[in-house]
Amino acid sequence: MGQPAEALTWNFACPDWVERLKAGKSLLPPLPLNDNEAERAVAIFNNLRLPDVPGQPFMADAAGEWGRDIVRAIFGSMVEGERQVREVMAMVPKKNAKTTNGAAICLTALLMNERPRAEFVLVGPTQEIADTAFQQASGMIDADPYLKQRFHVADHRKAIYDRVLKATLKIKTFDMKVATGSKPVMVLIDELHLMGAISYASRVIGQLRGGMIANPEAFLVIITTQSDEAPAGAFKTELDYARGVRDGRIANARMLPLLYEFPEAMQVDQAKPWQDPRHWHMVLPNLGRSISLDRLIEEYQAAVDKGLQEERRWASQHLNVQIGLALHTDRWRGADYWEAAADSTLTLEALLARCEVAVVGVDGGGLDDLYGLCVAGREKDTRRWLYWFRAWVYSEVLELRHEIAPRLLDFKRDGDLVIIGHNGGPTLDDDDLDDDTPPPELLDERDVREIVAIVQKVKDSGLLPEKGAIGLDPEGVGALVDALAAIGLEHPQVVGVTQGYRLASAVWSLERKLKHRMAAHSGAPLINWCVSNAKAEQRGNAVIITKQAAGKAKIDPFIAGLNATKLLEANPAAQGGGVDDFISAMKAA
């Protein structure tokens, strides 16, 4: 093109993406691409054959436009020897030929490559997915006489060698060794959403990015489906970044986003407009090729017949609908109404300003648990119950529970979880900890100190009732009781809340309040996760809330919320009138 890179406009934002999806148009924003190079790469991509379909049709006929958009952007963006589109993130639902397109992009890159002995890497989250990608790539080579002559396929090593430039495409399973000593020209990561629970995923991706710096033409492609759980870890980080670029919130971005998803308004609308098949074309760029609408409708109806949990899982995978709560079959019934009750403006300060009375619930467990706190209040005029949550955890839990470590780090970044540094291990960076590792004698007091500071703030607001102001799980709260006494809070303001079946009234009260829109909460991902982990068990006439899965499924902040609910049930008053006066008034009436 003859122009220096800085003279060109490489803006990856696509503010009209919703209109484009509705019209079936490309999500590729206007970029100053080298059309000759872009179309040369697309021609290579189009001439590859599908290896596992009768007749082995060309990609020109079998592939949707989204795959060609990636090829155009990557190979048409070389300016003075440096690639301007260095990263692409494509989020495409299942059955839209993601892995096949990924293999075809890798072979296109090999054929467009000009660097001798260059290294190309395709990374799958599991051995099965990596094997599938390798079979697609090797099958495309077997289907073309020229490619069979050009490339050597080493099945035992899951590698493809270019006989001309000695370049190598390696297909690997994601682990810590993927980035070791690697300086790749290309990295393609398949199904990133499955890596969300891998504690070291962000670190490995960062190392891969670092290895590519040495090559000015290097690029990274991420192709994934939406997660069947709330996004977490590396997947959440990359998805949030891609959305920020697409929506224009992040300038001078490194990543080109191609996200086939419904707008948030369609996903959170209680009428669920995404359920209407007339809208599905928006997120299915391969519709009419690898997938048919009639077949999808049949599969969706089968998922609906199996229950809400399966419907949500199906929608996340086949329509990229983002899940907020994992609604399992034995869930707490209030979870069905939880998302609709979220109020993002409900900070602690806002709750205290809006309420006529406030109480505090606390639930502390062992060193393997979260220390949960909930401030709850009764709103003036409306009398709605409002909830705000926070939690604390020691960093050892991230080492012991690798499967939830990425999610806990997300909650820390959200500001809703404090990770107390203590013997931090290899999965933690310095900025993952929320303190400078105080002396050993203070390590077990930080959570208590900060809880007391929050309680003091509520106390200073004048909203605490004279009786039943702070409700605690009686087990293991000795240090907190002593600390509360030091600021003048003792029985009858500080009370024990018996757990188990005695919490049943709070369970029922809160779920009824949610159903009738008489309760609201801050909508923090932390408490959403805890609510989704809650399992309801019927025991006699009572309902018991337990963990959905031992160890990894934390519910402590939610239990703190139930403890606070138990106090609100007594209809407390901030000034005068406590629980006893309320009961006397009821008897007199």
Side-chain angles (χ1 to χ4, degrees):
M1 299 178 68
Q3 298 184 62
E6 59 270 18
L8 303 174
T9 302
W10 296 92
N11 182 2
F12 300 153
C14 187
D16 61 340
W17 63 275
V18 176
E19 289 71 25
R20 287 172 177 250
L21 287 177
K22 290 179 178 178
K25 295 181 178 179
S26 168
L27 292 179
L28 190 64
L31 298 174
L33 299 175
N34 182 326
D35 292 333
N36 291 333
E37 286 298 289
E39 293 312 312
R40 184 164 75 92
V42 168
I44 292 173
F45 179 89
N46 282 342
N47 279 311
L48 297 172
R49 289 180 176 271
L50 276 183
D52 55 352
V53 174
Q56 295 186 319
F58 289 104
M59 292 294 284
D61 302 314
E65 202 62 25
W66 70 272
R68 280 181 282 273
D69 281 344
I70 294 176
V71 170
R72 286 190 185 94
I74 290 171
F75 300 105
S77 65
M78 289 288 288
V79 179
E80 297 182 342
E82 184 172 354
R83 200 176 306 279
Q84 303 305 304
V85 179
R86 301 181 185 93
E87 297 188 13
V88 177
M89 182 171 183
M91 188 168 70
V92 187
K94 276 189 175 182
K95 298 187 178 180
N96 282 269
K98 294 187 309 303
T99 301
T100 298
N101 274 268
I105 291 168
C106 289
L107 289 181
T108 301
L110 275 174
L111 291 165
M112 291 288 291
N113 174 54
E114 297 178 355
R115 181 181 290 272
R117 301 185 182 278
E119 180 182 357
F120 299 75
V121 181
L122 191 158
V123 183
T126 65
Q127 184 66 45
E128 182 180 2
I129 291 176
D131 288 346
T132 299
F134 176 75
Q135 292 301 323
Q136 293 298 93
S138 61
M140 290 176 183
I141 292 172
D142 288 339
D144 187 290
Y146 169 74
L147 297 183
K148 288 183 70 173
Q149 183 180 10
R150 172 76 182 261
F151 298 112
H152 168 64
V153 178
D155 291 281
H156 62 295
R157 293 185 178 179
K158 297 292 186 292
I160 295 171
Y161 301 96
D162 180 2
R163 291 188 171 102
V164 176
L165 290 177
K166 309 301 182 184
T168 306
L169 169 62
K170 299 177 181 179
I171 286 80
K172 298 183 178 182
T173 303
F174 190 86
D175 60 30
M176 286 290 287
K177 299 177 183 178
V178 166
T180 303
S182 180
K183 294 182 179 180
V185 168
M186 182 212 76
V187 176
L188 191 147
I189 299 176
D190 194 10
E191 296 292 24
L192 179 63
H193 78 278
L194 294 176
M195 303 174 194
I198 299 177
S199 58
Y200 53 81
S202 292
R203 179 169 295 180
V204 172
I205 294 172
Q207 290 173 345
L208 288 170
R209 283 189 169 113
M212 290 191 291
I213 292 176
N215 301 318
E217 77 275 28
F219 64 92
L220 168 69
V221 177
I222 297 171
I223 301 178
T224 186
T225 303
Q226 178 58 265
S227 174
D228 60 1
E229 296 181 340
F235 174 64
K236 181 180 186 297
T237 299
E238 301 296 339
L239 179 57
D240 287 348
Y241 182 86
R243 286 170 171 165
V245 175
R246 177 196 63 188
D247 298 340
R249 299 193 306 273
I250 298 176
N252 302 316
R254 66 171 187 266
M255 179 183 286
L256 172 66
L258 300 174
L259 308 178
Y260 287 86
E261 62 178 350
F262 295 115
E264 184 178 3
M266 288 183 65
Q267 297 196 47
V268 301
D269 190 332
Q270 293 301 297
K272 297 183 178 180
W274 58 263
Q275 293 177 325
D276 189 340
R278 290 178 298 178
H279 298 310
W280 291 0
H281 72 279
M282 294 173 61
V283 298
L284 301 172
N286 241 51
L287 192 63
R289 294 179 177 88
S290 61
I291 192 170
S292 71
L293 191 59
D294 290 342
R295 178 68 179 273
L296 272 180
I297 292 173
E298 290 178 8
E299 291 185 359
Y300 174 63
Q301 187 56 53
V304 170
D305 292 341
K306 293 177 182 177
L308 183 58
Q309 180 182 9
E310 178 60 17
E311 179 190 3
R312 290 166 69 95
R313 186 209 63 78
W314 186 94
S316 72
Q317 297 301 282
H318 296 273
L319 299 176
N320 275 350
V321 174
Q322 181 167 312
I323 287 178
L325 295 178
L327 298 183
H328 44 86
T329 54
D330 49 3
R331 64 189 178 276
W332 170 54
R333 285 298 307 279
D336 292 356
Y337 313 103
W338 186 260
E339 289 177 292
D343 178 355
S344 60
T345 68
L346 195 54
T347 62
L348 175 60
E349 291 73 17
L351 184 147
L352 297 179
R354 290 163 57 178
C355 288
E356 60 190 13
V357 65
V359 298
V360 179
V362 180
D363 183 69
L367 293 179
D368 191 37
D369 289 319
L370 307 185
Y371 209 142
L373 172 138
C374 172
V375 178
R378 189 174 61 239
E379 191 173 28
K380 303 168 187 174
D381 299 325
T382 69
R383 298 185 65 83
R384 291 193 308 164
W385 291 357
L386 307 182
Y387 294 81
W388 177 86
F389 299 87
R390 178 155 291 178
W392 292 257
V393 69
Y394 283 101
S395 61
E396 294 100 313
V397 174
L398 281 75
E399 307 298 331
L400 296 171
R401 305 294 179 189
H402 289 285
E403 66 272 29
I404 64 171
R407 200 173 293 279
L408 296 181
L409 290 171
D410 288 340
F411 300 150
K412 182 259 182 185
R413 285 186 282 269
D414 294 334
D416 301 308
L417 176 67
V418 176
I419 299 176
I420 302 174
H422 179 38
N423 297 331
T427 66
L428 293 176
D429 295 320
D430 290 340
D431 59 358
D432 290 330
L433 305 178
D434 283 292
D435 66 5
D436 296 322
T437 310
E441 64 271 15
L442 296 179
L443 279 171
D444 63 344
E445 296 181 359
R446 180 178 176 186
D447 43 13
V448 171
R449 294 198 311 272
E450 295 191 355
I451 288 172
V452 171
I454 292 172
V455 173
Q456 180 71 62
K457 189 171 187 177
V458 181
K459 180 184 179 184
D460 292 344
S461 73
L463 297 182
L464 287 178
E466 293 179 354
K467 298 180 181 180
I470 296 95
L472 313 172
D473 177 350
E475 300 296 329
V477 292
L480 180 58
V481 170
D482 292 341
L484 290 172
I487 63 169
L489 291 173
E490 298 180 282
H491 185 78
Q493 280 189 297
V494 179
V495 297
V497 179
T498 306
Q499 304 297 290
Y501 74 93
R502 292 186 182 275
L503 268 182
S505 67
V507 173
W508 292 325
S509 293
L510 183 51
E511 65 187 35
R512 289 182 63 85
K513 287 282 187 178
L514 289 165
K515 177 178 176 60
H516 297 295
R517 299 185 179 274
M518 288 301 293
H521 58 88
S522 58
L526 166 67
I527 190 59
N528 292 347
W529 179 65
C530 292
V531 168
S532 72
N533 291 335
K535 176 182 178 182
E537 297 181 7
Q538 189 74 36
R539 297 184 187 176
N541 293 327
V543 171
I544 309 295
I545 298 296
T546 60
K547 296 178 182 179
Q548 172 65 7
K552 67 178 182 179
K554 306 301 181 183
I555 62 173
D556 310 276
F558 177 52
I559 297 299
L562 293 179
N563 291 343
T565 300
K566 194 73 176 176
L567 303 180
L568 287 178
E569 286 183 316
N571 198 30
Q575 296 177 351
V579 175
D580 292 342
D581 287 351
F582 167 71
I583 295 174
S584 298
M586 291 293 290
K587 289 180 178 179

